[in-house]
Amino acid sequence: MSQPVMLTIVITTLPGHGQEQIDAYERLAPLVRAEKGCLQYDLHRVTGEPDRFVLIERWDSQEALDAHDATPHMIEADAASPSFRAGPAQVFKLDAEPVA
């Protein structure tokens, strides 16, 4: 049986470009949430940092996450993100079960 996959992704945009990240997320979120295996896809702005965000993703399996990464809308989004991001996102894959 496949284990759920949880990701925390830290995104930093170029100074003053935070709204472009929000706009991109708002276009993507309905498409991603409709994908098979998507359990959570939520973007949060870091308090007091208008150009920094944390994206929380949960998938029911690694296979679902792999399929997500290969969708046309994600390939397009990844190609467009360097125009407003300060650098590559930091992706942290978390253990499915909490420590305590």
Side-chain angles (χ1 to χ4, degrees):
M1 183 170 143
S2 246
Q3 290 280 18
V5 177
M6 184 172 192
L7 303 175
T8 300
I9 302 164
V10 178
I11 300 165
T12 304
T13 66
L14 295 166
H17 289 261
Q19 187 60 48
E20 290 174 64
Q21 176 61 53
I22 294 168
D23 294 344
Y25 168 79
E26 288 176 343
R27 285 189 301 274
L28 279 176
L31 300 171
V32 173
R33 289 180 179 144
E35 292 176 37
K36 183 178 179 188
C38 180
L39 304 174
Q40 182 179 8
Y41 189 76
D42 296 318
L43 183 70
H44 299 267
R45 179 176 263 152
V46 174
T47 302
E49 297 188 45
D51 298 315
R52 197 155 191 201
F53 302 86
V54 175
L55 179 64
I56 299 172
E57 296 187 33
R58 284 189 317 126
W59 296 88
D60 69 5
S61 67
Q62 183 63 50
E63 294 78 17
L65 176 58
D66 292 344
H68 160 70
D69 289 338
T71 60
H73 53 269
M74 287 310 302
I75 292 168
E76 181 180 325
D78 287 344
S81 67
S83 68
F84 57 85
R85 287 192 182 171
Q90 292 180 286
V91 180
F92 300 93
K93 187 174 179 181
L94 307 177
D95 290 340
E97 295 297 321
V99 175

Coordinates of all heavy atoms in Angstrom, one line a residue:
M1 N 0.8 -1.2 0.0 CA 0.0 0.0 0.0 C 0.9 1.2 0.0 O 1.9 1.3 0.7 CB -0.9 0.0 1.2 CG -1.9 1.1 1.3 SD -3.1 0.8 2.6 CE -3.2 2.5 3.2
S2 N 0.5 2.2 -0.8 CA 1.3 3.5 -0.9 C 1.1 4.3 0.3 O 0.0 4.4 0.9 CB 0.8 4.2 -2.1 OG 1.8 4.3 -3.1
Q3 N 2.1 5.1 0.7 CA 2.0 6.0 1.8 C 1.7 7.4 1.3 O 2.1 7.8 0.2 CB 3.4 6.1 2.5 CG 3.8 4.9 3.2 CD 3.1 4.8 4.6 OE1 2.1 5.5 4.8 NE2 3.6 4.0 5.5
P4 N 0.9 8.2 2.1 CA 0.7 9.5 1.7 C 2.0 10.3 1.6 O 3.0 10.0 2.3 CB -0.2 10.1 2.8 CG -0.8 8.9 3.5 CD 0.2 7.8 3.3
V5 N 2.0 11.4 0.8 CA 3.2 12.2 0.7 C 2.8 13.6 1.1 O 1.8 14.2 0.6 CB 3.7 12.2 -0.8 CG1 4.9 13.1 -0.9 CG2 4.1 10.8 -1.2
M6 N 3.7 14.2 1.9 CA 3.4 15.6 2.4 C 4.6 16.4 2.0 O 5.8 16.0 2.3 CB 3.2 15.7 3.9 CG 2.8 17.0 4.4 SD 2.3 16.9 6.1 CE 1.6 18.5 6.3
L7 N 4.4 17.6 1.4 CA 5.5 18.5 1.0 C 5.2 19.9 1.6 O 4.1 20.3 1.7 CB 5.5 18.7 -0.5 CG 5.7 17.5 -1.4 CD1 5.7 17.9 -2.8 CD2 7.1 16.8 -1.1
T8 N 6.3 20.5 2.1 CA 6.3 21.9 2.5 C 7.2 22.6 1.5 O 8.4 22.2 1.4 CB 6.7 22.1 3.9 OG1 5.7 21.4 4.7 CG2 6.6 23.6 4.3
I9 N 6.8 23.6 0.8 CA 7.6 24.3 -0.2 C 7.7 25.7 0.1 O 6.7 26.4 0.3 CB 6.9 24.1 -1.6 CG1 6.8 22.6 -1.9 CG2 7.7 24.8 -2.7 CD1 5.8 22.2 -3.0
V10 N 8.9 26.2 0.3 CA 9.2 27.6 0.6 C 9.5 28.3 -0.7 O 10.4 27.9 -1.4 CB 10.3 27.8 1.6 CG1 10.6 29.2 1.9 CG2 10.0 27.0 2.9
I11 N 8.7 29.4 -1.0 CA 8.8 30.2 -2.2 C 9.2 31.6 -1.9 O 8.5 32.2 -1.0 CB 7.5 30.1 -3.0 CG1 7.2 28.7 -3.4 CG2 7.6 31.0 -4.2 CD1 5.7 28.5 -3.8
T12 N 10.2 32.2 -2.5 CA 10.5 33.6 -2.3 C 10.5 34.2 -3.7 O 11.1 33.7 -4.7 CB 11.9 33.7 -1.7 OG1 12.0 33.0 -0.5 CG2 12.2 35.2 -1.5
T13 N 9.7 35.3 -3.8 CA 9.6 36.0 -5.1 C 10.6 37.2 -5.1 O 11.2 37.6 -4.1 CB 8.2 36.6 -5.3 OG1 7.9 37.6 -4.3 CG2 7.2 35.5 -5.3
L14 N 10.8 37.7 -6.3 CA 11.6 38.9 -6.4 C 10.9 40.0 -5.6 O 9.7 40.0 -5.5 CB 11.7 39.3 -7.9 CG 12.5 38.3 -8.8 CD1 12.3 38.6 -10.2 CD2 14.0 38.4 -8.4
P15 N 11.7 41.0 -5.0 CA 11.0 42.0 -4.3 C 9.9 42.7 -5.1 O 10.1 43.1 -6.2 CB 12.2 43.0 -4.0 CG 13.4 42.1 -4.1 CD 13.1 41.1 -5.1
G16 N 8.8 42.8 -4.4 CA 7.6 43.4 -5.0 C 6.8 42.6 -5.9 O 5.8 43.0 -6.5
H17 N 7.1 41.3 -6.1 CA 6.4 40.4 -7.0 C 5.6 39.3 -6.3 O 5.2 38.4 -7.0 CB 7.5 39.7 -7.9 CG 8.1 40.7 -8.9 ND1 7.6 40.8 -10.2 CD2 9.1 41.6 -8.8 CE1 8.4 41.7 -10.8 NE2 9.2 42.2 -10.0
G18 N 5.3 39.5 -5.0 CA 4.5 38.5 -4.3 C 3.1 38.3 -5.0 O 2.6 37.2 -5.0
Q19 N 2.5 39.4 -5.5 CA 1.2 39.2 -6.1 C 1.2 38.3 -7.3 O 0.2 37.6 -7.5 CB 0.6 40.6 -6.4 CG -0.9 40.5 -6.9 CD -1.8 40.0 -5.8 OE1 -1.8 40.4 -4.6 NE2 -2.7 39.0 -6.2
E20 N 2.3 38.3 -8.0 CA 2.4 37.4 -9.2 C 2.4 36.0 -8.7 O 1.8 35.1 -9.4 CB 3.6 37.7 -10.0 CG 3.6 39.1 -10.7 CD 4.9 39.4 -11.4 OE1 5.3 38.7 -12.3 OE2 5.5 40.4 -10.9
Q21 N 3.0 35.7 -7.6 CA 2.9 34.3 -7.0 C 1.5 34.0 -6.7 O 1.0 32.9 -6.9 CB 3.8 34.2 -5.8 CG 3.7 32.8 -5.2 CD 4.1 31.7 -6.1 OE1 5.2 31.7 -6.7 NE2 3.3 30.7 -6.2
I22 N 0.8 34.9 -6.0 CA -0.6 34.7 -5.6 C -1.5 34.4 -6.9 O -2.3 33.5 -6.9 CB -1.1 35.8 -4.8 CG1 -0.4 35.9 -3.4 CG2 -2.6 35.7 -4.6 CD1 -0.6 37.1 -2.6
D23 N -1.3 35.3 -7.9 CA -2.1 35.1 -9.1 C -1.8 33.8 -9.8 O -2.8 33.1 -10.2 CB -1.7 36.2 -10.1 CG -2.1 37.6 -9.6 OD1 -3.0 37.7 -8.7 OD2 -1.6 38.6 -10.2
A24 N -0.6 33.3 -9.8 CA -0.2 32.0 -10.4 C -0.9 30.9 -9.6 O -1.5 30.0 -10.2 CB 1.3 31.8 -10.5
Y25 N -0.8 31.0 -8.3 CA -1.5 30.0 -7.4 C -3.0 30.0 -7.7 O -3.6 28.9 -7.8 CB -1.1 30.3 -6.0 CG -2.0 29.5 -5.0 CD1 -1.6 28.1 -4.8 CD2 -3.1 30.0 -4.4 CE1 -2.4 27.4 -3.9 CE2 -3.9 29.2 -3.5 CZ -3.5 27.9 -3.3 OH -4.3 27.2 -2.5
E26 N -3.6 31.1 -7.7 CA -5.1 31.1 -7.9 C -5.5 30.5 -9.2 O -6.6 29.9 -9.3 CB -5.6 32.6 -7.8 CG -5.5 33.0 -6.3 CD -6.0 34.5 -6.1 OE1 -6.0 35.3 -7.1 OE2 -6.2 34.9 -5.0
R27 N -4.6 30.6 -10.3 CA -4.9 30.0 -11.5 C -4.8 28.4 -11.4 O -5.5 27.7 -12.0 CB -4.1 30.5 -12.6 CG -4.4 31.9 -13.1 CD -3.7 32.3 -14.4 NE -2.2 32.3 -14.2 CZ -1.5 33.3 -13.7 NH1 -2.1 34.4 -13.4 NH2 -0.2 33.3 -13.6
L28 N -3.7 28.0 -10.7 CA -3.4 26.6 -10.6 C -4.2 25.8 -9.6 O -4.5 24.6 -9.8 CB -1.9 26.4 -10.2 CG -0.9 26.6 -11.2 CD1 0.5 26.5 -10.6 CD2 -1.0 25.5 -12.3
A29 N -4.6 26.4 -8.5 CA -5.2 25.7 -7.4 C -6.4 24.9 -7.8 O -6.5 23.7 -7.4 CB -5.6 26.6 -6.2
P30 N -7.4 25.4 -8.6 CA -8.5 24.5 -8.9 C -8.1 23.3 -9.8 O -8.6 22.2 -9.6 CB -9.4 25.5 -9.7 CG -8.9 26.8 -9.5 CD -7.5 26.7 -9.1
L31 N -7.1 23.5 -10.7 CA -6.6 22.4 -11.5 C -5.9 21.4 -10.7 O -6.2 20.2 -10.8 CB -5.7 22.9 -12.6 CG -6.3 24.0 -13.5 CD1 -5.1 24.6 -14.4 CD2 -7.3 23.4 -14.4
V32 N -5.1 21.8 -9.8 CA -4.3 20.9 -8.9 C -5.3 20.1 -8.0 O -5.2 18.9 -7.8 CB -3.2 21.6 -8.1 CG1 -2.5 20.6 -7.1 CG2 -2.2 22.2 -9.1
R33 N -6.2 20.8 -7.3 CA -7.1 20.2 -6.4 C -8.0 19.2 -7.1 O -8.5 18.3 -6.4 CB -7.9 21.2 -5.7 CG -7.1 22.0 -4.7 CD -7.9 23.1 -4.0 NE -7.1 23.8 -3.0 CZ -7.2 25.1 -2.8 NH1 -8.1 25.8 -3.4 NH2 -6.4 25.7 -1.9
A34 N -8.2 19.3 -8.4 CA -9.0 18.4 -9.1 C -8.3 17.1 -9.5 O -8.9 16.1 -10.0 CB -9.6 19.0 -10.4
E35 N -6.9 17.1 -9.4 CA -6.1 16.0 -9.8 C -6.4 14.8 -8.9 O -6.6 15.0 -7.7 CB -4.6 16.3 -9.7 CG -4.2 17.3 -10.8 CD -2.8 17.7 -10.6 OE1 -1.9 16.8 -10.3 OE2 -2.4 18.9 -10.8
K36 N -6.3 13.6 -9.4 CA -6.5 12.4 -8.7 C -5.4 12.3 -7.6 O -4.2 12.5 -8.0 CB -6.4 11.2 -9.6 CG -6.6 9.9 -8.9 CD -6.6 8.7 -9.8 CE -6.8 7.4 -9.0 NZ -6.6 6.3 -9.9
G37 N -5.8 12.1 -6.4 CA -4.8 11.9 -5.3 C -4.4 13.1 -4.6 O -3.7 13.1 -3.6
C38 N -4.9 14.3 -5.0 CA -4.6 15.6 -4.3 C -5.4 15.6 -3.0 O -6.6 15.6 -3.1 CB -4.8 16.8 -5.1 SG -4.4 18.3 -4.3
L39 N -4.8 15.7 -1.9 CA -5.5 15.8 -0.6 C -5.4 17.3 0.0 O -6.3 17.7 0.7 CB -4.9 14.9 0.4 CG -4.8 13.4 0.0 CD1 -4.1 12.6 1.1 CD2 -6.2 12.9 -0.2
Q40 N -4.4 18.0 -0.4 CA -4.3 19.4 0.1 C -3.3 20.1 -0.9 O -2.3 19.6 -1.3 CB -3.7 19.4 1.5 CG -3.6 20.8 2.1 CD -3.0 20.7 3.5 OE1 -2.6 19.7 4.0 NE2 -3.0 21.9 4.2
Y41 N -3.7 21.4 -1.1 CA -2.8 22.3 -1.9 C -3.2 23.7 -1.5 O -4.1 24.3 -1.9 CB -3.2 22.1 -3.4 CG -2.2 22.8 -4.3 CD1 -0.9 22.3 -4.6 CD2 -2.6 23.9 -5.0 CE1 -0.1 22.9 -5.5 CE2 -1.7 24.6 -5.9 CZ -0.5 24.1 -6.1 OH 0.4 24.7 -7.0
D42 N -2.4 24.2 -0.5 CA -2.7 25.5 0.1 C -1.4 26.4 0.2 O -0.4 25.9 0.7 CB -3.2 25.3 1.6 CG -4.5 24.6 1.6 OD1 -5.4 24.9 0.8 OD2 -4.7 23.7 2.5
L43 N -1.6 27.6 -0.2 CA -0.5 28.6 -0.2 C -0.8 29.6 1.0 O -1.9 30.1 1.2 CB -0.5 29.4 -1.5 CG 0.7 30.4 -1.7 CD1 2.0 29.7 -1.8 CD2 0.4 31.3 -2.8
H44 N 0.3 29.8 1.7 CA 0.2 30.8 2.8 C 1.4 31.8 2.7 O 2.5 31.4 2.3 CB 0.4 30.1 4.2 CG -0.6 29.0 4.5 ND1 -1.7 29.3 5.2 CD2 -0.7 27.7 4.1 CE1 -2.5 28.2 5.2 NE2 -1.8 27.2 4.6
R45 N 1.0 33.1 2.9 CA 2.1 34.1 2.9 C 2.7 34.1 4.3 O 2.1 33.9 5.3 CB 1.5 35.5 2.6 CG 2.5 36.6 2.7 CD 1.9 37.9 2.3 NE 2.2 38.1 0.9 CZ 1.4 38.9 0.1 NH1 0.3 39.4 0.5 NH2 1.7 39.0 -1.2
V46 N 4.1 34.2 4.3 CA 4.8 34.3 5.6 C 4.5 35.7 6.2 O 4.6 36.7 5.6 CB 6.3 34.1 5.4 CG1 7.1 34.3 6.7 CG2 6.6 32.7 4.8
T47 N 4.0 35.7 7.5 CA 3.6 36.9 8.2 C 4.8 37.9 8.1 O 5.9 37.6 8.5 CB 3.2 36.6 9.6 OG1 2.2 35.6 9.6 CG2 2.8 37.8 10.4
G48 N 4.4 39.1 7.7 CA 5.4 40.2 7.7 C 6.4 40.2 6.5 O 7.3 41.0 6.4
E49 N 6.3 39.2 5.6 CA 7.2 39.0 4.5 C 6.3 38.9 3.2 O 6.0 37.8 2.8 CB 8.1 37.8 4.6 CG 9.0 37.9 5.9 CD 10.0 36.8 5.9 OE1 10.6 36.5 4.9 OE2 10.2 36.3 7.0
P50 N 6.0 40.0 2.5 CA 5.1 40.0 1.4 C 5.6 39.2 0.2 O 4.8 38.9 -0.7 CB 4.9 41.5 1.1 CG 6.1 42.2 1.7 CD 6.5 41.4 2.9
D51 N 6.9 38.9 0.2 CA 7.4 38.2 -1.0 C 7.9 36.7 -0.6 O 8.6 36.1 -1.4 CB 8.6 39.0 -1.6 CG 8.1 40.3 -2.1 OD1 7.1 40.4 -2.8 OD2 8.8 41.3 -1.8
R52 N 7.3 36.2 0.5 CA 7.7 34.9 0.9 C 6.5 34.1 1.2 O 5.5 34.6 1.9 CB 8.6 34.9 2.1 CG 9.4 33.7 2.3 CD 10.6 34.0 3.1 NE 11.4 32.8 3.0 CZ 12.3 32.5 3.9 NH1 12.7 33.3 4.8 NH2 13.0 31.4 3.8
F53 N 6.4 32.8 0.7 CA 5.3 32.0 0.9 C 5.7 30.5 1.2 O 6.8 30.1 1.0 CB 4.5 31.9 -0.5 CG 4.1 33.2 -1.0 CD1 5.0 34.0 -1.7 CD2 2.8 33.7 -0.7 CE1 4.6 35.3 -2.2 CE2 2.4 35.0 -1.2 CZ 3.3 35.8 -1.9
V54 N 4.7 29.8 1.8 CA 4.8 28.4 2.1 C 3.6 27.7 1.4 O 2.5 28.1 1.7 CB 4.9 28.1 3.6 CG1 4.9 26.6 3.8 CG2 6.1 28.8 4.2
L55 N 3.9 26.7 0.6 CA 2.9 25.9 -0.1 C 2.9 24.6 0.6 O 4.0 24.0 0.8 CB 3.3 25.8 -1.6 CG 2.3 24.9 -2.4 CD1 0.9 25.5 -2.5 CD2 2.9 24.7 -3.8
I56 N 1.7 24.1 1.1 CA 1.6 22.8 1.7 C 0.8 21.9 0.7 O -0.3 22.3 0.3 CB 0.9 23.0 3.1 CG1 1.7 23.9 4.0 CG2 0.7 21.6 3.7 CD1 1.1 24.2 5.3
E57 N 1.4 20.8 0.4 CA 0.8 19.8 -0.5 C 0.7 18.5 0.2 O 1.7 18.1 0.9 CB 1.6 19.6 -1.8 CG 1.7 20.9 -2.6 CD 2.4 20.6 -3.9 OE1 2.3 19.4 -4.5 OE2 3.1 21.5 -4.5
R58 N -0.4 17.8 0.1 CA -0.5 16.4 0.5 C -1.1 15.6 -0.6 O -2.1 16.0 -1.2 CB -1.4 16.3 1.8 CG -0.7 16.8 3.0 CD -1.5 16.5 4.3 NE -2.9 16.8 4.2 CZ -3.9 15.9 4.4 NH1 -3.7 14.7 4.8 NH2 -5.2 16.3 4.3
W59 N -0.5 14.5 -0.9 CA -0.9 13.6 -1.9 C -1.1 12.2 -1.4 O -0.4 11.8 -0.4 CB 0.2 13.5 -3.0 CG 0.3 14.9 -3.7 CD1 1.1 15.9 -3.3 CD2 -0.5 15.4 -4.8 NE1 0.9 17.0 -4.0 CE2 0.0 16.7 -5.0 CE3 -1.4 14.9 -5.6 CZ2 -0.6 17.5 -6.0 CZ3 -1.9 15.6 -6.6 CH2 -1.5 17.0 -6.8
D60 N -2.1 11.4 -1.9 CA -2.3 10.1 -1.4 C -1.3 9.1 -1.7 O -1.2 8.0 -1.1 CB -3.7 9.6 -1.7 CG -3.9 9.2 -3.2 OD1 -3.0 9.3 -4.0 OD2 -5.1 8.9 -3.5
S61 N -0.3 9.4 -2.6 CA 0.8 8.5 -2.9 C 1.8 9.2 -3.7 O 1.6 10.3 -4.3 CB 0.2 7.3 -3.8 OG -0.2 7.8 -5.1
Q62 N 3.0 8.6 -3.8 CA 4.1 9.2 -4.6 C 3.7 9.1 -6.0 O 4.1 10.0 -6.8 CB 5.4 8.4 -4.4 CG 6.6 8.9 -5.1 CD 7.0 10.3 -4.7 OE1 7.1 10.6 -3.5 NE2 7.1 11.2 -5.6
E63 N 3.0 8.1 -6.5 CA 2.5 8.0 -7.9 C 1.6 9.2 -8.2 O 1.8 9.8 -9.3 CB 1.8 6.7 -8.1 CG 2.7 5.5 -8.0 CD 2.9 5.0 -6.5 OE1 2.2 5.5 -5.6 OE2 3.9 4.3 -6.3
A64 N 0.8 9.6 -7.3 CA -0.1 10.8 -7.6 C 0.7 12.1 -7.7 O 0.5 12.9 -8.6 CB -1.1 10.9 -6.5
L65 N 1.7 12.2 -6.8 CA 2.6 13.4 -6.9 C 3.4 13.4 -8.2 O 3.5 14.4 -8.8 CB 3.6 13.4 -5.7 CG 4.6 14.5 -5.7 CD1 4.0 15.9 -5.7 CD2 5.5 14.4 -4.5
D66 N 3.9 12.2 -8.6 CA 4.7 12.1 -9.8 C 3.8 12.5 -11.0 O 4.2 13.2 -11.9 CB 5.2 10.7 -10.0 CG 6.3 10.4 -9.0 OD1 6.9 11.3 -8.4 OD2 6.6 9.2 -8.9
A67 N 2.5 12.1 -11.0 CA 1.6 12.4 -12.1 C 1.3 13.9 -12.1 O 1.3 14.6 -13.2 CB 0.3 11.6 -12.0
H68 N 1.2 14.5 -10.9 CA 1.0 16.0 -10.8 C 2.1 16.7 -11.4 O 1.9 17.7 -12.2 CB 0.8 16.3 -9.3 CG 1.1 17.7 -9.0 ND1 0.2 18.7 -9.3 CD2 2.1 18.3 -8.3 CE1 0.7 19.9 -8.9 NE2 1.9 19.7 -8.3
D69 N 3.4 16.3 -11.1 CA 4.5 17.0 -11.6 C 4.6 17.0 -13.2 O 5.2 17.9 -13.8 CB 5.8 16.4 -11.0 CG 6.0 16.8 -9.6 OD1 5.4 17.8 -9.1 OD2 6.7 16.1 -8.9
A70 N 4.0 16.0 -13.8 CA 4.0 15.8 -15.2 C 2.8 16.5 -16.0 O 2.7 16.4 -17.2 CB 4.1 14.4 -15.6
T71 N 1.9 17.1 -15.2 CA 0.7 17.7 -15.9 C 1.1 18.9 -16.7 O 2.1 19.6 -16.3 CB -0.4 18.1 -14.9 OG1 0.2 19.1 -14.0 CG2 -0.9 16.9 -14.1
P72 N 0.4 19.2 -17.8 CA 0.8 20.3 -18.6 C 0.7 21.7 -17.8 O 1.5 22.5 -18.0 CB -0.3 20.3 -19.7 CG -0.7 18.9 -19.8 CD -0.6 18.3 -18.5
H73 N -0.3 21.8 -16.9 CA -0.4 23.0 -16.2 C 0.8 23.2 -15.2 O 1.2 24.4 -15.0 CB -1.8 23.2 -15.5 CG -2.1 22.1 -14.6 ND1 -2.9 21.0 -15.0 CD2 -1.9 21.8 -13.3 CE1 -3.1 20.2 -14.0 NE2 -2.5 20.6 -12.9
M74 N 1.3 22.2 -14.7 CA 2.5 22.3 -13.8 C 3.8 22.6 -14.6 O 4.6 23.4 -14.2 CB 2.7 21.1 -12.9 CG 1.7 21.0 -11.8 SD 1.4 22.6 -10.8 CE 3.1 22.9 -10.2
I75 N 3.9 22.0 -15.7 CA 5.1 22.2 -16.6 C 5.1 23.7 -17.1 O 6.1 24.4 -17.0 CB 5.1 21.2 -17.8 CG1 5.3 19.8 -17.3 CG2 6.1 21.7 -18.8 CD1 5.1 18.7 -18.3
E76 N 3.9 24.2 -17.4 CA 3.8 25.6 -17.8 C 4.1 26.5 -16.7 O 4.8 27.5 -16.8 CB 2.4 25.8 -18.4 CG 2.1 27.2 -18.9 CD 0.7 27.4 -19.4 OE1 0.1 26.5 -20.0 OE2 0.2 28.5 -19.2
A77 N 3.5 26.2 -15.5 CA 3.8 27.1 -14.3 C 5.2 27.1 -13.9 O 5.8 28.1 -13.6 CB 2.9 26.6 -13.2
D78 N 5.9 25.9 -14.0 CA 7.3 25.9 -13.7 C 8.1 26.7 -14.6 O 9.1 27.3 -14.3 CB 7.8 24.4 -13.6 CG 7.3 23.7 -12.4 OD1 6.8 24.3 -11.4 OD2 7.3 22.4 -12.5
A79 N 7.7 26.7 -15.9 CA 8.5 27.5 -16.9 C 8.3 29.0 -16.7 O 9.2 29.8 -17.0 CB 8.0 27.1 -18.3
A80 N 7.1 29.4 -16.2 CA 6.8 30.8 -16.0 C 7.4 31.4 -14.7 O 7.7 32.6 -14.6 CB 5.3 31.0 -16.1
S81 N 7.6 30.5 -13.7 CA 7.9 31.0 -12.4 C 9.2 31.8 -12.3 O 9.3 32.7 -11.5 CB 7.8 29.9 -11.3 OG 8.8 29.0 -11.5
P82 N 10.3 31.5 -13.1 CA 11.5 32.3 -12.9 C 11.3 33.8 -13.2 O 12.1 34.6 -12.8 CB 12.4 31.7 -14.0 CG 12.0 30.2 -14.1 CD 10.5 30.4 -13.9
S83 N 10.2 34.2 -13.9 CA 10.0 35.6 -14.2 C 9.7 36.4 -12.9 O 9.8 37.6 -12.9 CB 8.9 35.7 -15.3 OG 7.7 35.4 -14.7
F84 N 9.2 35.7 -11.9 CA 8.8 36.5 -10.7 C 9.4 35.9 -9.4 O 9.3 36.5 -8.3 CB 7.3 36.6 -10.5 CG 6.6 35.3 -10.5 CD1 6.4 34.6 -9.3 CD2 6.0 34.8 -11.7 CE1 5.7 33.4 -9.3 CE2 5.3 33.6 -11.7 CZ 5.1 32.9 -10.5
R85 N 10.1 34.7 -9.5 CA 10.7 34.1 -8.3 C 12.2 34.5 -8.1 O 12.9 34.6 -9.1 CB 10.6 32.6 -8.3 CG 9.1 32.2 -8.0 CD 9.1 30.7 -7.8 NE 7.7 30.3 -7.6 CZ 7.3 29.0 -7.6 NH1 8.2 28.0 -7.7 NH2 6.1 28.7 -7.4
A86 N 12.6 34.6 -6.9 CA 14.0 35.0 -6.6 C 14.9 33.9 -6.8 O 16.1 34.1 -7.0 CB 14.1 35.5 -5.2
G87 N 14.4 32.7 -6.9 CA 15.3 31.5 -7.1 C 14.4 30.2 -7.1 O 13.2 30.3 -6.9
P88 N 15.0 29.1 -7.1 CA 14.2 27.8 -7.0 C 13.5 27.7 -5.7 O 14.1 28.2 -4.7 CB 15.2 26.7 -7.2 CG 16.4 27.4 -7.8 CD 16.4 28.8 -7.4
A89 N 12.4 27.1 -5.7 CA 11.7 26.9 -4.4 C 12.4 25.8 -3.6 O 13.1 25.0 -4.2 CB 10.2 26.4 -4.7
Q90 N 12.3 25.9 -2.3 CA 12.9 24.9 -1.4 C 11.8 23.9 -1.1 O 10.8 24.3 -0.5 CB 13.4 25.5 -0.1 CG 14.6 26.5 -0.2 CD 15.0 27.0 1.1 OE1 14.3 27.9 1.7 NE2 16.0 26.5 1.7
V91 N 12.0 22.6 -1.4 CA 11.0 21.6 -1.3 C 11.5 20.7 -0.2 O 12.6 20.1 -0.2 CB 10.8 20.8 -2.6 CG1 9.8 19.7 -2.4 CG2 10.4 21.8 -3.7
F92 N 10.6 20.5 0.8 CA 10.8 19.6 2.0 C 9.8 18.5 1.9 O 8.6 18.8 2.0 CB 10.8 20.4 3.3 CG 11.8 21.5 3.4 CD1 11.4 22.8 3.1 CD2 13.1 21.2 3.8 CE1 12.4 23.8 3.1 CE2 14.0 22.2 3.9 CZ 13.7 23.5 3.6
K93 N 10.2 17.3 1.8 CA 9.3 16.1 1.8 C 9.3 15.7 3.3 O 10.4 15.4 3.9 CB 9.8 15.0 0.9 CG 8.9 13.8 0.8 CD 9.3 12.9 -0.2 CE 8.4 11.7 -0.3 NZ 8.9 10.7 -1.3
L94 N 8.1 15.6 3.9 CA 8.0 15.3 5.3 C 7.6 13.8 5.5 O 6.9 13.3 4.6 CB 7.0 16.2 5.9 CG 7.2 17.7 5.7 CD1 6.0 18.5 6.4 CD2 8.5 18.2 6.3
D95 N 7.9 13.3 6.6 CA 7.4 12.0 7.0 C 5.9 12.1 7.1 O 5.4 13.1 7.6 CB 8.0 11.5 8.3 CG 9.5 11.2 8.3 OD1 10.0 10.9 7.1 OD2 10.2 11.2 9.3
A96 N 5.2 11.0 6.7 CA 3.8 11.0 6.7 C 3.2 11.1 8.1 O 2.2 11.8 8.3 CB 3.2 9.8 6.0
E97 N 3.9 10.5 9.0 CA 3.4 10.5 10.4 C 4.1 11.6 11.2 O 5.3 11.7 11.1 CB 3.6 9.1 11.0 CG 2.7 8.1 10.3 CD 1.2 8.3 10.5 OE1 0.8 8.7 11.6 OE2 0.5 8.1 9.5
P98 N 3.4 12.3 12.1 CA 4.1 13.2 13.0 C 5.0 12.5 13.9 O 4.7 11.4 14.3 CB 2.9 14.0 13.7 CG 1.7 13.3 13.3 CD 2.0 12.3 12.2
V99 N 6.0 13.2 14.4 CA 6.9 12.6 15.4 C 6.3 12.3 16.7 O 6.5 11.2 17.2 CB 8.1 13.6 15.6 CG1 9.1 13.0 16.7 CG2 8.9 13.8 14.3
A100 N 5.4 13.1 17.2 CA 4.7 12.9 18.4 C 3.3 13.3 18.4 O 2.9 14.1 17.6 CB 5.5 13.6 19.6

